[in-house]
Amino acid sequence: VQLQASGGGLVQTGGSLRLSCAASGRTFSSYGMGWFRQAPGKEREFVSSITPSGASTSYADSVKGRFTISRDNTKNTVYLQMNSLESEDTAVYYCAASTYWSRYTSSYGYWGQGTLVTVSS
């Protein structure tokens, strides 16, 4: 599966952005999907994940209550709605696909190219 992330940009503290990740192929609905981020000088970290059906989701503690992951299997797309953005959310955001529902980067075999989110005060 090939993944294309989009929707990043520059936003002020407290603002919102919605990231999208479009997938190619007809098996999108069989993959668990995740969002990860990597800030300058830091390791890539888990943000959120969603099961193939969309019935279950998981979030990092740092984004819980502010970010919402969702997916539309008819459009082969997964979304990350980000509200109440903070400077600490500044990072390159990556979407990824896995045959498992996981919080671990090692579980994901397919990655998008990343989209930059910059939160400015």
Side-chain angles (χ1 to χ4, degrees), residues 9-104:
L10 175 64
V11 64
Q12 290 189 329
T13 301
S16 299
L17 280 176
R18 187 176 82 156
L19 306 183
S20 299
C21 176
S24 64
R26 292 177 289 180
T27 60
F28 175 74
S29 60
S30 67
Y31 288 95
M33 297 297 297
W35 285 98
F36 294 79
R37 67 186 182 186
Q38 188 166 17
K42 294 187 177 181
E43 292 187 353
R44 192 169 298 188
E45 65 175 3
F46 170 78
V47 175
S48 183
S49 63
I50 189 167
T51 54
S53 69
S56 297
T57 58
S58 179
Y59 296 93
D61 288 344
S62 59
V63 307
K64 199 172 294 183
R66 299 187 298 122
F67 291 10
T68 302
I69 190 171
S70 62
R71 67 189 296 162
D72 185 340
N73 286 344
T74 67
K75 296 182 179 179
N76 282 9
T77 303
V78 63
Y79 305 97
L80 185 69
Q81 177 67 42
M82 305 186 296
N83 298 328
S84 302
L85 283 161
E86 306 167 351
S87 58
E88 292 79 10
D89 297 317
T90 294
V92 177
Y93 284 71
Y94 298 89
C95 60
S98 173
T99 54
Y100 306 97
W101 181 42
S102 172
R103 302 166 67 99
Y104 302 103

